[in-house]
Amino acid sequence: PHRVWEKMILARLAGGGGGGRQWVVLKHASLRQMHLAVFVRAALRTSAHSVRSAVSATGLGGVVGNKGGLAISFHLGTTSLAFVSCHLAAHDHKNRERNEMCKEILSETAGAIGEQRRAARGRLDVASQFDHCFWFGDLNYRVDLKLGQQAAGLPAEALKEHEAHHAAVRDLVEEEDWEALWEADQLRHSQRAGDVLARFSEGQYSFPPTFKVLRQRGAHYKQQRIPSYCDRILWRSMPGRGSSAVTQTSLAAVPGVSTSDHKPVFATFEVAASARLHGAAGSSRAQHEATATTCARLGSLSLQGIIPADLSGRSDPYIAFFTNPPGLLGGSVPTSSVKKGVLATGTAVTGEARAWRAVMGGSVRGPSAGFGGEGADDTCSWCEAELPLLRFSCSLADLRHVTLILAVFDRDIGSKDDPLGTAMVPLSEPVERLLR
């Protein structure tokens, strides 16, 4: 069936004629009735490389494919891109399950996606290594006016009744009070709390909720479900790429489609090409050390609010270092020493990296490295001797376009190390200061 769908899309991309010869299917991924396809212009096909895909089933028992995610990643010239389509748990009260499914999708697709997958051994997820990651699909997050400040003049008790809640949301839709609906959105609240899709951006939904509608033209809602923005499109970029690297040029629904109880949502974007680096990463340690032109060392690094990963309420954290663009630190992953038995009372890791100090190629004094969320008072620190020397196989000038990825893990004996958090540290600012 997906072949028929792709053929129809190719015809549309070609303006209804020519059979879509100006476009080709770069990659397709599927999971039961879920399908994700990436198309590129035929003239750009030779510029696309490192094309990979992965699937994650998060349905009943974690194996049924009625819910889950599909991921496709590739490079187009110098720019690395990832696309994730997902279908998450339904119903108003399943907000936590939806958040957990997002984490499961990230975890289960990590080992198959990205150029650093072998060196990282699945330690970097799809949201933490590409220039730009787009996340979309039937996310199933609901509008809940009890979360927002707007309740259409009704007391909180009244909103516990489904009929009153439905009527209040419908009134806001008729008034086109999109901001009030947005403030009551479960996904937005989960993101603010740091529970899911951290640092992902989203456009303004200035149109009626797309679920749950009657199968007819226009937005006419079924009484059984609260009208909600289930169908979403988000994106996240490496901080070193700049805020203007991705521009959303449109975001809209298509109310004329009447074949589903959802109205389709589409968006268009302009994406700036990433800078080309002149340095080249060696595939072996010897080759990498021979080509390394800039080396730097962290003078100290500290983390607060470490998440308990062991039954004892403690963690054994260490930090693994990666880069975007990938592979600039060689084939092996530089890591810090492991801190044993750290009392872990936090809910999310925060951190700071200071005093970049060059051994060769100029000095780099660095920015803070935040790990997201609110931390506890406890602190875990690494001194200079406990942190690796970072050998970058690019020039100091090229280092302006590099983001250092710090992935924090709990060391386990006999099982896979548990991820605790990831930080992105763009090196543009400290390098620019050196080059002035």
Side-chain angles (χ1 to χ4, degrees), residues 158-175:
L159 292 173
K160 293 181 180 179
E161 298 295 331
H162 176 83
E163 291 76 10
H165 197 178
H166 190 283
V169 172
R170 202 169 59 245
D171 287 344
L172 292 174
V173 173
E174 292 176 359
E175 295 165 7

Side-chain angles (χ1 to χ4, degrees), residues 277-281 287-298 323 327-330 334 356-365 388-402 404 427 430-432 434-435:
L277 304 191
H278 299 291
Q287 288 175 317
H288 173 71
E289 291 182 354
T291 58
T293 58
T294 305
C295 297
R297 187 185 294 279
L298 278 167
T323 60
L328 296 178
L329 292 174
W356 287 90
R357 199 166 57 72
V359 177
M360 302 186 306
S363 63
V364 183
R365 294 187 59 81
L389 173 67
L390 301 178
R391 301 174 180 269
F392 296 95
S393 54
C394 65
S395 68
L396 183 61
D398 277 345
L399 209 59
R400 293 174 297 178
H401 309 295
V402 174
L404 186 64
L427 302 182
V431 172
E432 288 286 0
L434 286 170
L435 295 175

